Amino acid sequence: MKKGQWLIWLMAIVLLSGCGSAAARYNNRGNRDFEAEKFDEAIKDYTTAQQENPDLAEPYYNAGNTHHRQENLEGAVAQLKQSLRGADDELKQQAYYNLGNTYFQAQDWSAAIEAYQQALLLNPDDMDAKQNLELALQKLLEQQQQQQQQQGGGGQQQDNQQDQQGQQQQQEQQGQQDNQDQENESGQGQQPDQPDQSGGSQPPDQQQQAGGQGGLSRSEAEQLLDALGQDSQTLQERLQRQLGQPAPRPDRDW
């Protein structure tokens, strides 16, 4: 893949058919205000459309794009997320894409990466989302490298310590499990009133959750960059594993 040097934007607004409904009329009037760059008026129209029909995704999506044009990134994120509730797959894909752009502009690389990943899960052939995801991954890797340099190599030492601690914890858990198995075989199972001595099964779960909230590691980001250069099916499978989502059902049941 040719490496992009700039972010590709998508700030398209969405029309609503069925102009007989009040929500559609206000939404489409907001679109006209948006095109005329009357952004404050557009926000008012989209807000009224949301009040007329809170279940419609389009007014939230359009309001999010308008907030983005006003550089109100927090408002853009809130509205775009709200649009995901009732959106069809096409609009949802665009909303995730624009969320990625909003997070990118806020220099929240991890959030931007996650949003682009969601967009590509819905449309793995979206070349713009691929390029923007690549840019966000490069920014994240640069940030991680700068942090390591500022720490004077301490980041690598910390990673090594964490690896050693993880291996030691696994060994301790295995030893405790072996002891428990031996006790069960000898009929000396753990008494009900005794505290649990099976090791910290809970702490590993907590560590896993904390790791998921911290964004991609350097190796994960590099692996995802490699996957971007492969075919769409391989990329989609990689994203599904990355995000813990089930594989899509086949088009036909055999």
Side-chain angles (χ1 to χ4, degrees):
M1 179 191 302
K2 181 179 179 180
K3 294 187 180 298
Q5 299 298 325
W6 59 85
L7 192 69
I8 300 176
W9 298 97
L10 173 65
M11 288 287 119
I13 53 177
V14 179
L15 287 169
L16 272 173
S17 58
C19 294
S21 70
R25 289 199 303 271
Y26 280 110
N27 178 81
N28 296 342
R29 190 169 79 177
N31 292 350
R32 292 192 292 271
D33 290 333
F34 181 95
E35 292 172 349
E37 298 187 357
K38 299 178 181 179
F39 299 128
D40 289 336
E41 294 299 319
I43 290 294
K44 293 179 182 177
D45 293 329
Y46 295 138
T47 301
T48 304
Q50 295 167 9
Q51 294 169 348
E52 291 289 338
N53 190 342
D55 295 328
L56 283 176
E58 288 82 356
Y60 295 102
Y61 172 84
N62 291 335
N65 291 345
T66 307
H67 281 302
H68 190 114
R69 288 291 299 271
Q70 293 179 304
E71 298 185 357
N72 177 9
L73 303 184
E74 184 176 354
V77 167
Q79 292 291 312
L80 287 169
K81 283 185 175 180
Q82 188 75 5
S83 75
L84 295 171
R85 289 187 312 152
D88 58 21
D89 285 348
E90 181 178 359
L91 184 61
K92 188 178 293 185
Q93 198 268 346
Q94 294 181 17
Y96 274 123
Y97 181 90
N98 283 350
L99 262 176
N101 291 345
T102 304
Y103 284 127
F104 192 102
Q105 188 167 343
Q107 298 186 4
D108 188 343
W109 313 127
S110 295
I113 288 167
E114 183 176 356
Y116 291 137
Q117 286 177 318
Q118 294 289 349
L120 283 167
L121 276 176
L122 292 165
N123 182 10
D125 295 319
D126 187 345
M127 296 303 298
D128 292 344
K130 286 184 179 181
Q131 176 167 320
N132 287 359
L133 175 57
E134 183 178 8
L135 287 172
L137 286 166
Q138 291 171 350
K139 291 291 187 180
L140 178 64
L141 289 172
E142 291 174 3
Q143 182 184 64
Q144 292 174 341
Q145 184 177 6
Q146 290 174 357
Q147 290 173 347
Q148 289 182 357
Q149 291 175 349
Q150 290 173 357
Q151 294 171 359
Q156 183 64 40
Q157 294 176 1
Q158 183 178 3
D159 290 341
N160 294 336
Q161 291 174 356
Q162 290 176 349
D163 291 340
Q164 293 174 358
Q165 290 173 357
Q167 293 174 0
Q168 182 178 1
Q169 187 176 34
Q170 290 178 357
Q171 293 173 356
E172 291 175 354
Q173 290 176 358
Q174 184 62 45
Q176 290 163 353
Q177 184 63 43
D178 293 341
N179 292 336
Q180 185 176 1
D181 292 341
Q182 293 175 0
E183 289 176 357
N184 292 337
E185 291 175 358
S186 62
Q188 299 177 359
Q190 185 179 2
Q191 299 299 321
D193 58 347
Q194 290 180 341
D196 183 8
Q197 300 294 329
S198 61
S201 60
Q202 185 65 23
D205 292 339
Q206 294 174 349
Q207 289 177 0
Q208 183 175 2
Q209 292 174 0
Q213 295 172 355
L216 295 176
S217 67
R218 185 173 185 83
S219 62
E220 289 172 336
E222 290 172 345
Q223 290 172 10
L224 189 51
L225 269 175
D226 292 338
L228 286 173
Q230 302 177 25
D231 60 78
S232 297
Q233 183 177 357
T234 302
L235 174 61
Q236 191 174 37
E237 292 172 353
R238 178 72 178 87
L239 292 174
Q240 287 162 350
R241 291 195 302 271
Q242 187 77 37
L243 299 173
Q245 296 194 6
R249 298 183 61 182
D251 294 335
R252 300 172 60 182
D253 294 329
W254 297 97

